[in-house]
Amino acid sequence: MNEQKVGNYLIQRLYDLGVRHVFGVPGDYVLGFYQQLEQSKRLKVINACDEQGAGFAADAYARVNGIGVLCVTYCVGGLKVVNAVAEAFAEKSPLIVISGAPGIKERRKNPLLHHKVKDFDTQQRIFENITIDSVLLDDPRRAAEDIDRVLSSVRSYKRPVYIELPRDIVSSSMDIEPTTPSVLHSGTAVPGGGGEDERNQIDIALQEAVSEATKLINSSKQPVIIAGVEIHRFGLQDKLLHLVNKTNIPVASTVLSKSVISEDHALYIGVYEGAMGYQSVREYVETSDCLILLGALMTDINFGISPTPIEQSKSIYVTSEKLSVKHHDFENVLLQDFLNYLIESNLTKRNLLNTGKLDYTGGYNNNRNNINSNYRYANLRNEQKQQQKQQYSSTKKNQKITVKRVFELLNSFITENTIVIADVGDSLFGSLDLTIHGQTDFLSPAYYCSMGFAVPAAIGSQLAKPNHRPIVLVGDGAFQMTGMEISTIARFNLTPIIIILNNNGYGTERPMLDGPFNDILNWNYSKITDIIGYGKGFVIETENQFEKCLFATDKIYSNDLCVLDVRLDRNDRSPALQRLTDLLGKKVK
Amino acid sequence: MNEQKVGNYLIQRLYDLGVRHVFGVPGDYVLGFYQQLEQSKRLKVINACDEQGAGFAADAYARVNGIGVLCVTYCVGGLKVVNAVAEAFAEKSPLIVISGAPGIKERRKNPLLHHKVKDFDTQQRIFENITIDSVLLDDPRRAAEDIDRVLSSVRSYKRPVYIELPRDIVSSSMDIEPTTPSVLHSGTAVPGGGGEDERNQIDIALQEAVSEATKLINSSKQPVIIAGVEIHRFGLQDKLLHLVNKTNIPVASTVLSKSVISEDHALYIGVYEGAMGYQSVREYVETSDCLILLGALMTDINFGISPTPIEQSKSIYVTSEKLSVKHHDFENVLLQDFLNYLIESNLTKRNLLNTGKLDYTGGYNNNRNNINSNYRYANLRNEQKQQQKQQYSSTKKNQKITVKRVFELLNSFITENTIVIADVGDSLFGSLDLTIHGQTDFLSPAYYCSMGFAVPAAIGSQLAKPNHRPIVLVGDGAFQMTGMEISTIARFNLTPIIIILNNNGYGTERPMLDGPFNDILNWNYSKITDIIGYGKGFVIETENQFEKCLFATDKIYSNDLCVLDVRLDRNDRSPALQRLTDLLGKKVK
């Protein structure tokens, strides 16, 4: 018989899944579990200033580590993280939410216990809208099974799950035979996959789909892979590399999946972002006769808010939820399996150089200066890098700093040990031109787009990758939402570089529709390190100061928090943002 | 025909209800409505640093003004305020939530528009759990009717409602005859009240209930009124006064309803808070042979976490949702009507002095020193005041400041133009001993107990009562959650005094179950005014410093924000908190 307590069982399972840190804020309904966490010595508690900060930090940890845990108290904690968990749901981040709760016994007669909103199950019902699975652990005898089920769900679907742990259950003995559910030790589960017959049907459909896709790819002249965020979430980066290297088919990422493949890879052509991005990448993708969309969310931001320019008759579109080759839909054939089979299929290997088939011979380029009518995909990327390099070398002294220059100068500062975290707005759009060297070393809520993600995300990502230093790009508006989580950064001796793009308000909204509601108070951001007694603050007004400051963060303050108040013109913005806001503005008015 | 735009109609209706300020943070899906607000010149937009801060500010405004409005963008705004709105629901605060949303037209084909979580109605479904009514304004022709319905609901039930305003509807013309729905101009609606027959049934029940109650009251020796928070929410303070003055029955408040009656009133005996409060008040209430509970929520905090000591056979219990006299329940008879009828009924007027009937002759007092075996209710309050006065006069120089002394010294500083706002923890429990002079000049989330309410609430309450100065009592833990909303305080030139009870962590939790998770980083709180360039910061370590500082906030910085960092011992706490945490601690372990 297993005498383990429910809370300790949960802790063991989380540890088995590779979790080492738990983010949250304690409260009386969850204190017992916090004590178990502390005593377990296996999972470190990271308590943030506010639950919202803990939520974003746990989400970032989940994205980097492969799984993350947020642990809060009932309602006054849980209902503060609804937005952060919704973001994890929308962008497929494998986040486990554990909430303390009133004891099962004290719920009888439905008394008005503090923190209760309406009914005792109100919080769980709310979370059912933003999680893929949820459970109230109301029976210690069933707890192991219940816990294993939701942990299996988070691994299969890469979306948040919710576990409610009443305070009179957390220390209850489970009194059951120890089980080792296969799902916790197997590979990816097959959502919807049931008996043997069903599995055979899926196999047949899979073979058909792969055969059809192979034919389409081999007969195409200019195929291109768009590698989406699910490649990262399902841990398929190596498979993607294998496919790319085997076939020599060039690959683009999306806004949400930037850095899913090292941006130094010879076959990487850049971020495809519709009307927002490099025109050359857009043209290459949109004139392709075979688009291979792997795990890409077809969001408006990913495609630059323009009507989706993807022609289905030329596309292979596969995600963890659906697959279609041209107009054929295949039921229950999913990304993970499809990619495995595709790699094994009879795909032609293309020549890297001088192959007529791969040359770009589209007709979009007549009205553009910097595009050759006959260049290879490899040139696309070289061209981008060349441009960045030239931009860097032309630094002028006493020249007022601009958004464009921030990103140009920053580009040469990024190493293999950098994680770039971009908040929403120009922090994101400007970052898209940065070259990220490692895999998944770029984080941004690029679809759901909740402001305030980036500073707390630095906590989660640096704890998940301790040998990496985060560079946070955040607007002043977003910083005012969650920036005080630098307090948590200080408590746990983390060392991010926080670059505040300070333009006195909601710069992304001004070009859509401006008014006094887009103004915010200007803070003395560089003095904020005095409040927490940790880190170094800088005020940046010129290109020269920014360059010197970057140098100092690396040479002098390499083991410290650095906060850069980069003072921009109120109406300054990146070219990408300008294009995006023009498009969004039309919808607002 | 009415050519009014949907957004402008909504603004007009809010104005008619007495709303003058709208709290929120703009975002692209709600920008059009923000522009209408700005152009209307009727409602002032108060944009906070974060939606959470706007939520608490709007809730406080609702509590003070009688109705409040929170206006946010879709999901990334709305889902950040779920906790704040849940608090308003739990504590019956009449808060209107308006959320921008994707246009109805752009929702077709269910595309992945930014900010969307799962389905387009996900946000509304979540809000259905924490509001009393909700509507998606998807049809301009029905918009007036829909808006009037939810505004009627918020007035009838004093609980939050949700209005979702798609961005392609906000400027649509309504094209209907202008209507003036009677409900907007009538008094309180009767929930569940339908046709004439039903109304007659209710009248009969009401007469029966009042007759039974009158009999019980008149035949009792020691009746006492417990005036709950609904007296304030439904605007029944004058009725309560009338009842008290007509009958000379003494009145207590609850934790959540503190200041529902002026605490200088001769018949006010204090806050009844079970085991937490003054023993004398507890004894008077618990030995009463006729408890008249008017609009009181029977929460655990209100009754000091002890098993409810209220004997139903001696009680008249009436709220906006139910009425019972002893064990008789009356359907559909509600607080508002009951109070009106009770005042008109044949209640005996008691003598204020020397009436044997009113003397306290209970038997609880043998083991207590400071209770006379034969005193009148009026003495209860005098005794409390006497005690406070003595405490004040004994200030010692260089004596380290304690929680107890903070509240004792503060008591003489409160005037008729003070609103006291207490956050959760000792900020609340310590505040219960303060004497509040005006009606509803004390605010605290004393049932739902979400940390972080108080600083943003200062914004809402001072805008609602501009001639009052808020005194905010907030722990360091709660301040780290939402304290940076002092930025919003600065933007709108507000002048609260913020007293941070700084004990290096979650002091309310330490006595229940302590661990490193209850520690937080110590901030230099007094320097925080340097960050925003507004206000004056103070460090307080002794009683003397605190006294001088209070004087300075009044004489020198009367038109400024004042932030007091009151450095307490880590384990210092008020006697009330000590008693409460002892009780809570037993449930956690």
Side-chain angles (χ1 to χ4, degrees):
Chain A
M1 294 297 276
N2 189 336
E3 288 296 335
Q4 207 166 19
K5 291 175 179 175
V6 172
N8 291 331
Y9 179 84
L10 177 55
I11 289 168
Q12 181 60 46
R13 282 296 191 229
L14 296 173
Y15 185 85
D16 293 344
L17 290 178
V19 175
R20 296 295 178 271
H21 301 84
V22 170
F23 301 83
V25 176
D28 68 330
Y29 288 120
V30 79
L31 273 182
F33 187 60
Y34 263 74
Q35 193 179 49
Q36 287 179 339
L37 283 167
E38 208 61 52
Q39 288 170 348
S40 77
K41 310 272 182 211
R42 313 205 99 182
L43 308 185
K44 190 170 166 61
V45 170
I46 307 295
N47 50 326
C49 293
D50 189 34
E51 282 87 351
Q52 172 165 249
F56 287 136
D59 179 4
Y61 187 88
R63 292 175 195 220
V64 176
N65 181 59
I67 207 141
V69 179
L70 174 61
C71 183
V72 291
T73 193
Y74 185 61
C75 291
V76 296
L79 299 184
K80 272 190 182 178
V81 297
V82 172
N83 178 60
V85 177
E87 182 152 281
F89 184 91
E91 300 190 351
K92 299 206 172 185
S93 174
L95 178 63
I96 298 163
V97 183
I98 300 170
S99 176
I104 296 299
K105 287 192 196 106
E106 64 190 318
R107 295 182 187 206
R108 285 171 200 157
K109 295 189 181 172
N110 201 29
L112 291 180
L113 299 182
H114 63 289
H115 300 349
K116 194 178 76 162
V117 184
K118 189 194 276 183
D119 303 308
F120 281 110
D121 67 349
T122 297
Q123 177 167 281
Q124 189 179 2
R125 274 189 284 117
I126 287 174
F127 272 87
E128 280 166 2
N129 292 289
I130 52 171
T131 54
I132 200 75
D133 201 354
S134 73
V135 69
L136 166 67
L137 298 178
D138 56 357
D139 183 352
R141 290 165 304 175
R142 237 185 24 239
E145 194 186 324
D146 286 345
I147 288 169
D148 291 344
R149 190 196 75 227
V150 291
L151 295 186
S152 164
S153 296
V154 73
R155 295 179 75 230
S156 297
Y157 297 95
K158 311 296 179 193
R159 279 189 148 145
V161 294
Y162 173 83
I163 298 173
E164 190 168 312
L165 188 50
R167 62 177 168 182
D168 60 356
I169 299 290
V170 65
S171 288
S172 297
S173 175
M174 300 202 301
D175 284 337
I176 52 146
E177 291 292 329
T179 55
T180 311
S182 60
V183 71
L184 276 175
H185 298 276
S186 74
T188 308
V190 180
E196 202 177 328
D197 271 8
E198 200 177 333
R199 189 65 237 178
N200 283 339
Q201 286 303 315
I202 294 172
D203 277 348
I204 292 166
L206 181 58
Q207 281 162 20
E208 244 183 69
V210 171
S211 153
E212 213 170 305
T214 306
K215 212 168 131 189
L216 185 67
I217 296 169
N218 283 345
S219 68
S220 67
K221 289 187 173 177
Q222 189 184 310
V224 63
I225 294 167
I226 297 190
V229 73
E230 287 192 340
I231 293 292
H232 162 237
R233 299 294 194 257
F234 288 90
L236 301 169
Q237 290 104 323
D238 290 346
K239 303 278 179 190
L240 172 69
L241 262 181
H242 194 151
L243 178 68
V244 168
N245 292 337
K246 182 185 167 176
T247 60
N248 281 338
I249 295 173
V251 58
S253 70
T254 65
V255 176
L256 190 57
S257 65
K258 179 175 167 71
S259 84
V260 68
I261 185 168
S262 163
E263 298 190 347
D264 295 324
H265 193 285
L267 285 147
Y268 176 67
I269 63 169
V271 178
Y272 172 70
E273 43 182 320
M276 277 193 298
Y278 278 94
Q279 184 66 12
S280 50
V281 177
R282 182 184 186 187
E283 286 175 2
Y284 193 85
V285 168
E286 294 182 14
T287 59
S288 161
D289 56 347
C290 180
L291 272 176
I292 308 161
L293 293 141
L294 300 176
L297 302 183
M298 307 285 255
T299 74
D300 56 353
I301 303 278
N302 264 351
F303 293 102
I305 313 288
S306 53
T308 309
I310 302 302
E311 265 189 56
Q312 209 182 331
S313 60
K314 295 175 182 173
S315 302
I316 298 159
Y317 180 49
V318 53
T319 69
S320 67
E321 289 168 18
K322 64 171 285 186
L323 182 150
S324 52
V325 179
K326 296 196 282 188
H327 291 277
H328 300 185
D329 291 342
F330 294 88
E331 289 289 328
N332 291 322
V333 179
L334 307 183
L335 177 63
Q336 308 88 312
D337 298 322
F338 179 78
L339 199 51
N340 279 328
Y341 277 63
L342 191 65
I343 288 167
E344 298 305 320
S345 79
N346 193 25
L347 285 171
T348 313
K349 180 157 190 159
R350 285 145 199 269
N351 285 333
L352 264 175
L353 301 169
N354 295 325
T355 303
K357 277 183 185 172
L358 287 174
D359 284 350
Y360 169 71
T361 51
Y364 282 84
N365 54 314
N366 297 334
N367 58 350
R368 294 184 45 77
N369 302 326
N370 61 345
I371 293 194
N372 247 307
S373 65
N374 190 18
Y375 65 91
R376 288 178 303 279
Y377 53 85
N379 284 351
L380 291 173
R381 190 68 193 135
N382 287 338
E383 185 192 16
Q384 293 164 28
K385 287 186 177 176
Q386 194 76 22
Q387 213 170 316
Q388 288 160 2
K389 209 169 180 179
Q390 278 166 6
Q391 288 160 345
Y392 179 74
S393 60
S394 64
T395 308
K396 284 180 210 151
K397 213 169 172 175
N398 296 326
Q399 179 74 37
K400 177 149 180 54
I401 190 76
T402 62
V403 178
K404 195 160 171 276
R405 295 299 286 152
V406 164
F407 288 101
E408 286 170 5
L409 296 174
L410 196 57
N411 218 6
S412 66
F413 185 72
I414 293 168
T415 71
E416 284 180 1
N417 294 318
T418 307
I419 295 186
V420 175
I421 306 171
D423 214 285
V424 178
D426 234 2
S427 305
L428 168 60
F429 301 120
S431 294
L432 295 172
D433 288 346
L434 298 175
T435 297
I436 307 297
H437 304 293
Q439 269 179 9
T440 59
D441 285 344
F442 180 79
L443 286 184
S444 184
Y447 160 53
Y448 185 70
C449 288
S450 173
M451 286 169 72
F453 171 81
V455 173
I459 301 164
S461 60
Q462 199 171 24
L463 287 167
K465 272 194 178 179
N467 59 342
H468 278 54
R469 189 176 196 186
I471 294 182
V472 171
L473 290 145
V474 56
D476 50 341
F479 187 87
Q480 291 194 4
M481 292 176 171
T482 58
M484 289 313 288
E485 291 292 351
I486 54 165
S487 175
T488 313
I489 287 169
R491 255 197 97 197
F492 296 97
N493 295 302
L494 302 174
T495 60
I497 300 167
I498 297 175
I499 299 173
I500 301 169
L501 300 175
N502 178 3
N503 57 6
N504 277 289
Y506 304 126
T508 312
E509 288 174 7
R510 291 200 195 283
M512 301 182 213
L513 216 165
D514 206 4
F517 42 77
N518 288 328
D519 299 337
I520 64 174
L521 191 82
N522 195 20
W523 292 7
N524 294 313
Y525 299 99
S526 65
K527 288 191 182 168
I528 218 155
T529 49
D530 296 346
I531 303 295
I532 57 168
Y534 179 83
K536 174 73 184 163
F538 302 85
V539 175
I540 310 291
E541 286 179 324
T542 68
E543 291 189 3
N544 198 241
Q545 285 171 340
F546 186 61
E547 201 171 15
K548 275 190 181 169
C549 178
L550 286 181
F551 186 82
T553 62
D554 191 32
K555 302 299 173 197
I556 306 170
Y557 304 103
S558 60
N559 281 310
D560 216 339
L561 160 71
C562 296
V563 177
L564 283 62
D565 177 1
V566 180
R567 299 195 177 163
L568 299 162
D569 186 82
R570 180 187 150 103
N571 293 310
D572 181 26
R573 60 188 68 101
S574 72
L577 175 57
Q578 186 58 55
R579 284 191 292 270
L580 175 68
T581 49
D582 285 351
L583 288 162
L584 284 175
K586 282 176 196 155
K587 303 203 176 194
V588 166
K589 279 162 196 163
Chain B
M1 295 295 278
N2 188 336
E3 288 295 336
Q4 206 167 21
K5 291 174 179 175
V6 172
N8 290 331
Y9 179 84
L10 178 55
I11 289 167
Q12 180 59 47
R13 282 297 191 227
L14 296 173
Y15 186 85
D16 293 344
L17 290 178
V19 175
R20 296 295 178 269
H21 299 85
V22 170
F23 302 83
V25 175
D28 67 331
Y29 288 120
V30 77
L31 273 182
F33 186 60
Y34 264 74
Q35 194 180 48
Q36 287 179 340
L37 283 167
E38 208 61 53
Q39 289 170 348
S40 78
K41 310 272 182 214
R42 313 204 100 182
L43 307 185
K44 189 169 166 62
V45 170
I46 307 295
N47 50 327
C49 293
D50 189 34
E51 282 87 351
Q52 172 165 247
F56 288 135
D59 178 3
Y61 187 89
R63 292 174 195 220
V64 176
N65 181 59
I67 208 142
V69 178
L70 174 60
C71 182
V72 291
T73 193
Y74 186 61
C75 290
V76 297
L79 299 184
K80 273 189 182 179
V81 297
V82 172
N83 178 60
V85 177
E87 182 152 283
F89 184 92
E91 301 190 351
K92 301 208 172 183
S93 174
L95 177 63
I96 298 163
V97 182
I98 300 170
S99 176
I104 296 299
K105 286 193 195 107
E106 64 189 320
R107 296 183 186 205
R108 284 170 200 157
K109 294 189 181 172
N110 203 28
L112 291 179
L113 300 182
H114 63 289
H115 301 348
K116 193 177 76 163
V117 185
K118 190 194 273 182
D119 304 308
F120 280 110
D121 66 351
T122 297
Q123 177 166 282
Q124 190 179 2
R125 273 188 286 117
I126 287 174
F127 272 88
E128 280 166 2
N129 292 289
I130 52 172
T131 54
I132 200 75
D133 200 355
S134 72
V135 68
L136 166 67
L137 298 178
D138 56 357
D139 183 351
R141 289 165 302 176
R142 236 186 24 239
E145 194 186 324
D146 287 344
I147 288 169
D148 291 344
R149 190 196 75 227
V150 292
L151 295 187
S152 165
S153 296
V154 74
R155 295 179 75 231
S156 298
Y157 297 95
K158 311 296 179 193
R159 279 191 148 144
V161 294
Y162 174 82
I163 298 173
E164 189 168 313
L165 188 50
R167 61 177 168 182
D168 60 357
I169 300 291
V170 65
S171 289
S172 296
S173 176
M174 299 202 302
D175 284 338
I176 51 147
E177 292 292 329
T179 56
T180 310
S182 60
V183 72
L184 277 174
H185 298 276
S186 76
T188 307
V190 180
E196 202 176 327
D197 271 8
E198 200 175 335
R199 190 64 237 179
N200 283 339
Q201 286 303 314
I202 295 171
D203 278 347
I204 293 166
L206 181 57
Q207 281 162 19
E208 243 183 72
V210 170
S211 152
E212 214 170 305
T214 306
K215 212 169 131 191
L216 186 67
I217 296 168
N218 283 344
S219 66
S220 67
K221 289 186 172 177
Q222 187 184 310
V224 63
I225 294 169
I226 297 190
V229 73
E230 287 192 340
I231 293 291
H232 162 236
R233 299 293 195 259
F234 288 90
L236 302 170
Q237 289 104 323
D238 289 346
K239 302 276 180 192
L240 172 69
L241 262 181
H242 194 150
L243 178 68
V244 169
N245 292 337
K246 182 184 167 176
T247 60
N248 281 339
I249 296 174
V251 57
S253 71
T254 66
V255 177
L256 190 57
S257 65
K258 181 177 166 69
S259 86
V260 68
I261 184 168
S262 163
E263 298 190 347
D264 295 324
H265 193 284
L267 286 146
Y268 176 68
I269 63 168
V271 178
Y272 172 69
E273 41 182 323
M276 278 194 299
Y278 278 94
Q279 185 67 12
S280 51
V281 177
R282 183 184 185 188
E283 287 175 1
Y284 194 85
V285 168
E286 295 182 14
T287 58
S288 162
D289 56 347
C290 180
L291 273 176
I292 308 162
L293 293 141
L294 300 177
L297 302 183
M298 307 284 256
T299 74
D300 55 354
I301 304 277
N302 265 353
F303 293 100
I305 313 289
S306 53
T308 309
I310 302 303
E311 263 188 60
Q312 211 182 329
S313 60
K314 297 176 183 171
S315 301
I316 297 160
Y317 180 48
V318 53
T319 69
S320 67
E321 289 168 20
K322 64 171 283 185
L323 182 150
S324 52
V325 179
K326 296 196 280 187
H327 292 277
H328 300 186
D329 291 341
F330 294 86
E331 289 290 325
N332 291 322
V333 180
L334 307 182
L335 177 63
Q336 308 88 311
D337 298 322
F338 179 78
L339 199 51
N340 279 327
Y341 277 63
L342 192 65
I343 289 167
E344 299 304 320
S345 78
N346 192 25
L347 285 171
T348 312
K349 182 157 190 159
R350 284 144 199 269
N351 285 333
L352 264 174
L353 299 169
N354 295 325
T355 304
K357 277 184 187 174
L358 287 172
D359 284 349
Y360 169 71
T361 52
Y364 282 82
N365 54 314
N366 297 333
N367 57 349
R368 294 184 44 77
N369 303 326
N370 62 345
I371 293 194
N372 246 307
S373 66
N374 191 19
Y375 66 91
R376 289 178 302 279
Y377 54 86
N379 284 350
L380 290 173
R381 191 68 194 135
N382 286 339
E383 184 192 16
Q384 292 163 29
K385 286 186 178 175
Q386 195 75 20
Q387 212 170 319
Q388 287 160 4
K389 211 169 179 180
Q390 277 166 6
Q391 288 159 347
Y392 179 75
S393 60
S394 64
T395 308
K396 286 180 210 151
K397 213 171 174 176
N398 295 325
Q399 180 73 37
K400 179 149 178 55
I401 189 79
T402 62
V403 178
K404 195 161 171 276
R405 296 298 287 149
V406 164
F407 289 100
E408 287 171 4
L409 297 175
L410 197 56
N411 218 7
S412 67
F413 185 72
I414 293 169
T415 70
E416 283 180 4
N417 294 318
T418 307
I419 294 185
V420 175
I421 306 172
D423 215 284
V424 178
D426 234 3
S427 306
L428 168 60
F429 302 120
S431 294
L432 294 173
D433 288 346
L434 297 176
T435 298
I436 307 297
H437 305 293
Q439 267 180 11
T440 60
D441 284 343
F442 180 78
L443 286 184
S444 183
Y447 160 52
Y448 185 70
C449 288
S450 174
M451 287 169 71
F453 171 82
V455 173
I459 301 164
S461 60
Q462 200 171 22
L463 287 166
K465 272 194 179 178
N467 58 342
H468 278 54
R469 189 176 195 187
I471 293 182
V472 171
L473 289 145
V474 56
D476 50 341
F479 186 87
Q480 291 194 6
M481 292 176 171
T482 57
M484 290 312 289
E485 292 292 352
I486 52 165
S487 176
T488 313
I489 287 169
R491 256 196 96 196
F492 296 97
N493 295 303
L494 302 173
T495 60
I497 299 167
I498 296 175
I499 299 174
I500 301 170
L501 300 176
N502 178 2
N503 56 6
N504 277 287
Y506 304 126
T508 312
E509 288 173 8
R510 292 200 194 282
M512 300 183 213
L513 217 165
D514 206 6
F517 42 78
N518 288 329
D519 299 337
I520 64 174
L521 191 82
N522 195 19
W523 293 6
N524 294 313
Y525 299 99
S526 65
K527 288 191 182 168
I528 219 154
T529 49
D530 296 346
I531 302 296
I532 57 168
Y534 178 83
K536 173 73 184 163
F538 304 85
V539 175
I540 309 292
E541 287 179 323
T542 67
E543 292 188 2
N544 198 240
Q545 285 171 342
F546 186 62
E547 200 172 17
K548 273 191 183 168
C549 178
L550 286 182
F551 186 82
T553 62
D554 191 32
K555 301 299 175 199
I556 307 170
Y557 304 103
S558 61
N559 281 309
D560 216 339
L561 161 70
C562 296
V563 178
L564 282 62
D565 176 1
V566 180
R567 300 196 178 162
L568 299 163
D569 186 80
R570 180 187 149 102
N571 293 311
D572 180 26
R573 58 188 70 99
S574 72
L577 176 57
Q578 185 59 54
R579 285 191 292 270
L580 175 67
T581 50
D582 286 351
L583 289 162
L584 285 174
K586 282 177 198 155
K587 302 203 177 194
V588 166
K589 280 163 196 162

